[in-house]
Amino acid sequence: ALARALDSQPSGDTSSDVRILLSFKAADATPCRQFSVASAGHSGEGVACRDAETWRVVAWVQTPTSPDASYRAAGADGVIDGVVDTIDATGALSVADERALLSARWR
């Protein structure tokens, strides 16, 4: 489900348990995506970057699930933001640039 979402979902789409938060390019022009997952036993946030063949999760912070949907564990944002800041060379991709990469299957 994660690979499918990374391959095909535009940022902000909430139609699945995986939500793509933003797309960007690393310093070496590798496309990367920040995402969150909200499903039983696998809730958290992460960053994945695309190599020639597949997505590689480069950071993952699991967050405890809570019956209260408004609850969010402290710390996950800071860790993931730090990873994005470290590898992001260009800032978030524009909607048009993200669409082009989605159409080109991230190649």
Side-chain angles (χ1 to χ4, degrees):
L2 176 59
R4 185 174 45 253
L6 291 168
D7 274 340
S8 62
Q9 270 183 227
S11 295
D13 184 331
T14 59
S15 63
S16 76
D17 289 343
V18 178
R19 182 170 179 220
I20 306 300
L21 303 174
L22 94 113
S23 299
F24 61 95
K25 286 192 176 181
D28 64 358
T30 301
C32 300
R33 305 193 88 187
Q34 181 180 353
F35 62 91
S36 66
V37 177
S39 64
H42 298 290
S43 295
E45 291 186 30
V47 175
C49 295
R50 175 98 183 157
D51 65 21
E53 298 178 23
T54 191
W55 291 97
R56 306 272 183 218
V57 175
V58 297
W60 172 254
V61 177
Q62 189 160 346
T63 54
T65 48
S66 167
D68 177 3
S70 66
Y71 172 79
R72 185 176 178 97
D77 286 342
V79 170
I80 297 301
D81 288 347
V83 169
V84 171
D85 288 345
T86 299
I87 62 177
D88 179 5
T90 63
L93 294 177
S94 69
V95 172
D97 288 342
E98 183 182 76
R99 278 190 199 140
L101 282 169
L102 283 164
S103 294
R105 301 178 152 245
W106 298 94
R107 292 177 181 44

